């Protein structure tokens, strides 16, 4: 049985260090600082502190991390090595001295264009939600240019949408209208058609959707939008299900955001750094943020000259280190490799679904893409999630999408092999059995982690946000 | 669970109409579905909001939900107690109202459900889950 390490680890500033010594430097006394409010520790003390903390932590380097909608695939260490080569660059350096960095950005733009079938890309947005917001600003600028912004006030989205979608649309000043899903778990086409008219600015959707179901009517959806002069927006969170098989461009999308930190294997979780490039097609390229990296046949340069640009959306050029890692990942896999990653991600998801579906309820239709949503039969999703931790695997996403009550959203990714999938399935089956025979063990879980069940309600009502509040 | 003297909406708010004013809150079913409520956001006094439009947010550990105006009107009072202690909504969702409004169009009340109709509506909702 799994048992997580547990140390009674003090905060860094509670560890007793050396007495502060007068440092002898040739500086006048009045300019010398008398005390410095940082821990005065030796290297081994700091290393042991962080190593212990890391042993009480969990990550994709330890075991399975099936966090639905987050694509927690393994991040090859080679990407990190390559990113290190660039760590001494400064964003204010002369263009002529950073040709290599610009080449990486240029090639990444080009590769993302090919993967998505878009005509132009900006690499600036710092993460997915930032990409969405940038996309909504592009929608705004486009309709404004056409003189239609005043009447096109509404952004439509399905009731299975990621929560960031309505937030991004609202932040860009649009009204949000929710479109219901049908009994198959897909967008209700009739409801969408009825809600779309000349007040519609855009429809935001992810495909496959958050249930892991491919929106089969996507071409019809695109037709409805374009007939009404509205734009179709692709939330790229689920690109790992279609990459190399089809593309947002083929499906009729106008604007796309990608999450390099999900699909393209750069580390994430714990707040970043992420990267959320935005691609567009047709005349929308004239609205992209500046600068864009271009190549004039001899050298790479930053182009600030974009006709109707919405301006900058991020300081400097975005999270460059993340771009390098994504570039390395794409280069290493190549087109065939990316396609195989997709095929295996979808296969893994469907294999796992088949292994556990007798023990968990599977709402809507059967065939899924890279992730699937189930409901426990005799337990709360929260308790199943907590119990999973006892077996040394990370819990899936829970209580999302909102249209499935007690949802467990499982995305194994292509990283896992059959052995780890079987192991995960067996744990899920054992938990289903426990829910029937010994429900208390779920309700009191986790038992084997460094910290037992935390009081989420108290944490939300009375948050402790700094170490000083801990007192 | 659903007092006779209140009017109800399909989005699970209640309204207690007294003359040309009404107190507004969320129903027993709403707080039960949300589970432990951890955060409440209410509008400023003086804001006028139409029937069916959101006037605030109620957040639980699981999710965050808009709350909608059962009736059109101007906000004349907000209950700061529930902002400071959101758990009051779980303890007694009827004693602990959210806002008080001055009615703009009292006839709108005819479109709301009474306790009996709302009880049936909730039973239907439960069946669908």
């Amino acid at each position: 049985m799994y048992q997580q390490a547990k140390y009674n680890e003090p905060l860094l500033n509670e560890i007793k260090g050396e007495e502060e010594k007068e440092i002898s430097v040739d500086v006048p006394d009045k300019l010398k600082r008398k005390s410095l409010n940082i821990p005065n520790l030796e290297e081994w003390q700091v290393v042991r502190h962080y190593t212990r903390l890391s042993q009480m932590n969990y990550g994709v380097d330890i075991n399975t991390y099936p966090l639905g909608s987050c694509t927690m695939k393994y991040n090859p260490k080679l990407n990190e090595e390559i990113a290190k080569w660039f760590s001494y660059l400064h964003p204010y350096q002369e263009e002529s001295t950073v040709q290599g960095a610009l080449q990486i950005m240029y090639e990444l733009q080009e590769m993302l264009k090919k993967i998505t079938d878009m005509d132009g890309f900006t690499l600036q947005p710092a993460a997915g939600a930032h990409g969405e917001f940038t996309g909504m600003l592009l929608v705004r600028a486009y309709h404004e240019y056409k003189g239609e912004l005043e009447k096109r006030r509404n952004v439509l989205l399905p009731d299975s949408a990621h929560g960031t979608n309505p937030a991004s649309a609202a932040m860009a000043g649009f009204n949000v209208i929710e479109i219901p899903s049908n009994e198959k778990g897909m967008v209700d086409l009739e409801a969408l058609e009825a809600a779309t008219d000349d007040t519609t600015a855009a429809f935001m959707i992810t495909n496959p959707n958050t249930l892991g179901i491919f929106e089969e009517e996507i071409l019809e959806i695109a037709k409805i939008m374009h007939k009404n002069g509205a734009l179709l927006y692709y939330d790229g969170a689920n690109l790992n299900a279609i990459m190399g098989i089809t593309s947002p461009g083929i499906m009729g999308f106008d604007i796309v955001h990608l999450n390099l930190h999900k699909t393209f294997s750069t580390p994430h979780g714990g707040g970043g750094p992420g990267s959320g490039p935005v691609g567009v097609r047709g005349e929308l390229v004239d609205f992209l943020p500046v600068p864009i990296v271009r190549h004039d046949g001899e050298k790479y340069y930053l182009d600030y000259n974009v006709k109707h640009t919405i301006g900058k959306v991020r300081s400097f050029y975005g999270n460059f280190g993340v771009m390098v890692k994504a570039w390395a990942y794409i280069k290493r896999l190549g087109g065939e490799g990316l396609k195989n990653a997709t095929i295996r991600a979808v296969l893994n998801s469907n294999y796992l679904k088949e292994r556990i579906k007798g023990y968990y309820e599977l709402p809507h239709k059967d065939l899924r893409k890279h992730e699937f949503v189930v409901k426990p039969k005799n337990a709360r999703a929260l308790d199943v999630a907590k119990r999973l931790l006892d077996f040394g695997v990370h819990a899936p996403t829970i209580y999302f999408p909102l249209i499935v009550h007690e949802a467990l959203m499982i995305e194994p990714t292509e990283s896992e092999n059959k052995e780890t999938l079987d192991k995960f399935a067996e744990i899920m089956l054992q938990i289903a059995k426990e829910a029937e025979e010994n429900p208390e063990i779920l309700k009191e879980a986790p038992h084997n982690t460094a910290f037992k069940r935390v009081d989420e309600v108290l944490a939300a009502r009375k948050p402790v946000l700094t170490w000083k509040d801990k007192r | 669970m659903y007092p006779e003297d209140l009017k109800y909406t399909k989005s699970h708010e209640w309204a207690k109409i007294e003359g040309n004013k009404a107190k507004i809150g969320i129903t027993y079913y709403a707080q039960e579905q949300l589970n432990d409520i951890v955060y409440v956001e209410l509008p400023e006094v003086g804001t006028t909001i139409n029937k069916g439009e959101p006037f605030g947010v109620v957040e639980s550990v699981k999710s965050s939900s808009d709350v909608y105006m059962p009736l059109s009107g101007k906000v004349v009072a907000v209950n700061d107690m529930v902002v400071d202690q959101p758990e009051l909504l779980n303890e007694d969702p009827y004693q602990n109202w959210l806002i008080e409004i001055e009615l703009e169009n009292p006839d709108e009340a005819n479109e709301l459900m009474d306790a009996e109709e709302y009880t049936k509506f909730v039973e239907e909702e439960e069946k669908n889950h």
Side-chain angles (χ1 to χ4, degrees):
Chain A
M1 194 80 183
Y2 171 79
Q3 177 62 55
Q4 193 173 37
K6 177 164 175 57
Y7 299 97
N8 195 8
E9 189 63 18
L11 296 174
L12 207 51
N13 56 1
E14 291 169 345
I15 301 173
K16 196 172 157 30
E18 294 283 294
E19 289 293 311
E20 269 184 51
K21 284 179 212 138
E22 176 99 11
I23 296 166
S24 98
V25 279
D26 200 9
V27 173
D29 250 6
K30 61 173 180 182
L31 293 178
K32 275 189 194 161
R33 211 191 311 228
K34 294 291 170 273
S35 71
L36 193 57
N37 191 22
I38 57 170
N40 190 26
L41 302 176
E42 295 189 48
E43 182 178 315
W44 61 267
Q45 290 179 297
V46 177
V47 167
R48 283 183 187 172
H49 173 72
Y50 283 111
T51 305
R52 288 191 197 117
L53 290 185
S54 79
Q55 288 181 336
M56 291 197 284
N57 205 346
Y58 187 92
V60 75
D61 285 355
I62 293 181
N63 208 342
T64 315
Y65 209 131
L67 196 61
S69 238
C70 286
T71 312
M72 301 294 286
K73 58 174 82 174
Y74 174 73
N75 311 130
K77 298 295 172 247
L78 179 70
N79 303 351
E80 301 297 320
E81 285 305 311
I82 294 172
K84 268 188 215 164
W85 299 347
F86 294 86
S87 56
Y88 291 102
L89 289 182
H90 193 282
Y92 280 137
Q93 260 176 261
E94 268 286 312
E95 254 172 37
S96 63
T97 68
V98 290
Q99 284 294 303
L102 291 177
Q103 183 181 350
I104 294 258
M105 291 172 74
Y106 178 81
E107 288 183 8
L108 184 60
Q109 283 172 193
E110 293 304 304
M111 294 189 297
L112 297 180
K113 273 156 73 171
K114 195 159 184 193
I115 289 166
T116 56
D117 285 310
M118 290 287 129
D119 297 326
F121 254 92
T122 172
L123 302 175
Q124 279 178 40
H130 191 194
E132 287 175 29
F133 180 59
T134 304
M136 286 299 108
L137 292 181
L138 290 167
V139 170
R140 237 190 117 87
Y142 173 80
H143 289 310
E144 195 167 22
Y145 175 72
K146 299 258 162 191
E148 294 189 344
L149 184 61
E150 253 166 61
K151 65 174 182 190
R152 294 196 184 269
R153 301 306 310 161
N154 300 326
V155 167
L156 316 181
L157 36 88
D159 57 6
S160 61
H162 290 119
T164 45
N165 290 180
S168 302
M171 268 185 75
F174 292 109
N175 303 318
V176 172
I177 297 176
E178 202 175 87
I179 306 297
S181 301
N182 61 24
E183 71 287 347
K184 288 186 193 157
M186 300 190 290
V187 174
D188 184 330
L189 218 55
E190 263 174 50
L192 179 68
E193 190 144 29
T196 311
D197 55 23
D198 64 356
T199 67
T200 309
F203 182 48
M204 294 179 92
I205 185 173
T206 179
N207 196 14
N209 63 29
T210 55
L211 293 165
I213 295 173
F214 190 78
E215 297 277 355
E216 291 166 8
E217 316 259 31
I218 190 64
L219 294 176
E220 196 50 42
I221 290 172
K223 217 182 276 172
I224 294 171
M225 286 305 123
H226 295 149
K227 195 169 67 189
N228 285 283
L231 297 169
L232 188 58
Y233 182 92
Y234 185 78
D235 173 336
N238 292 344
L239 187 77
N240 213 47
I242 61 157
M243 177 173 53
I245 307 288
T246 181
S247 76
I250 292 172
M251 292 189 275
F253 284 91
D254 303 294
I255 307 178
V256 177
H257 92 262
L258 302 178
N259 299 278
L260 298 186
H261 49 279
K262 295 181 181 178
T263 320
F264 299 100
S265 186
T266 72
H268 62 122
S275 178
V278 171
V280 295
R281 68 170 177 184
E283 50 186 330
L284 282 160
V285 295
D286 292 337
F287 297 86
L288 283 175
V290 286
I292 290 173
V293 185
R294 299 202 203 275
H295 188 232
D296 65 7
E298 277 175 27
K299 59 178 194 312
Y300 298 92
Y301 66 101
L302 294 166
D303 185 5
Y304 286 84
N305 200 5
V306 175
K307 226 193 286 175
H308 311 298
T309 179
I310 60 166
K312 242 175 176 316
V313 296
R314 172 74 160 74
S315 56
F316 300 119
Y317 323 108
N319 286 337
F320 176 69
V322 184
M323 295 172 206
V324 177
K325 294 174 202 177
W327 175 92
Y329 177 77
I330 297 171
K331 281 282 186 195
R332 194 173 170 199
L333 265 68
E336 265 315 292
L338 291 179
K339 188 176 165 183
N340 287 337
T342 300
I343 291 169
R344 180 146 160 183
V346 173
L347 178 64
N348 278 359
S349 154
N350 280 285
Y351 176 72
L352 196 55
K353 175 205 75 192
E354 287 301 311
R355 288 257 359 221
I356 70 170
K357 80 172 182 189
Y359 301 82
Y360 292 82
E361 207 180 307
L362 181 75
H364 307 294
K365 66 174 218 171
D366 207 32
L367 192 65
R368 298 301 162 108
K369 290 289 178 197
H370 66 309
E371 66 189 6
F372 60 98
V373 175
V374 289
K375 303 201 278 196
K377 283 185 176 164
N378 296 302
R380 295 192 56 208
L382 178 71
D383 296 335
V384 172
K386 295 289 184 192
R387 183 63 179 147
L388 272 168
L389 307 183
D390 279 338
F391 295 87
V393 288
H394 197 280
T397 299
I398 54 173
Y399 298 111
F400 189 81
L402 301 173
I403 53 173
V404 176
H405 288 251
E406 299 296 330
L408 290 162
M409 186 192 212
I410 301 173
E411 177 180 2
T413 82
E414 71 276 16
S415 298
E416 303 301 327
N417 62 13
K418 184 165 176 297
E419 283 67 36
T420 55
L421 292 173
D422 282 335
K423 216 180 262 174
F424 182 74
E426 273 148 32
I427 294 166
M428 288 294 285
L429 301 193
Q430 183 177 334
I431 293 175
K433 214 196 250 167
E434 285 176 351
E436 238 172 88
E437 292 165 2
N438 186 9
E440 283 311 304
I441 202 165
L442 267 67
K443 286 183 190 140
E444 285 161 20
H447 306 268
N448 307 336
T449 48
F451 289 90
K452 306 302 171 214
R453 188 171 296 209
V454 291
D455 189 340
E456 290 172 28
V457 175
L458 183 70
R461 284 183 184 152
K462 299 198 164 48
V464 175
L465 300 175
T466 77
W467 62 268
K468 280 180 183 160
D469 288 346
K470 200 186 150 207
R471 307 293 107 120
Chain B
M1 261 191 296
Y2 306 112
E4 295 283 333
D5 59 336
L6 305 182
K7 293 285 201 176
Y8 299 90
T9 66
K10 286 185 175 172
S11 46
H12 308 291
E13 293 87 9
W14 56 259
K16 185 177 189 181
I17 301 165
E18 292 160 324
N20 71 332
K21 284 187 181 169
K23 285 204 171 83
I24 293 167
I26 61 168
T27 66
Y28 181 85
Y29 180 76
Q31 66 78 29
E32 194 187 32
Q33 287 296 307
L34 283 162
N35 228 313
D36 291 307
I37 294 167
V38 297
Y39 180 75
V40 177
E41 191 181 296
L42 297 176
E44 274 176 43
V45 171
T47 330
T48 301
I49 310 171
N50 289 331
K51 178 177 190 288
E53 284 180 5
F55 69 87
V57 179
V58 176
E59 231 177 274
S60 70
V61 180
K62 283 201 308 200
S63 66
S64 151
S65 310
D66 283 340
V67 277
Y68 300 93
M69 290 290 265
L71 303 157
S72 305
K74 187 167 99 179
V75 181
V76 292
V78 300
N79 185 1
D80 286 326
M81 283 239 302
V82 297
V83 176
D84 293 337
Q85 292 168 272
E87 58 271 30
L88 292 176
L89 288 177
N90 292 117
E91 283 162 19
D92 187 342
Y94 300 113
Q95 193 63 37
N96 297 297
W97 49 280
L98 297 176
I99 58 171
E100 190 176 22
I101 62 168
E102 213 170 75
L103 297 181
E104 209 148 74
N105 181 3
D107 288 346
E108 286 173 347
N110 300 329
E111 297 160 29
L112 299 175
M113 288 181 273
D114 63 23
E116 195 186 327
E117 289 166 322
Y118 180 69
T119 308
K120 270 193 202 140
F121 177 74
V122 167
E123 279 167 12
E124 280 299 307
E125 288 257 298
E126 299 242 271
K127 251 189 264 167
N128 292 336
H129 282 164

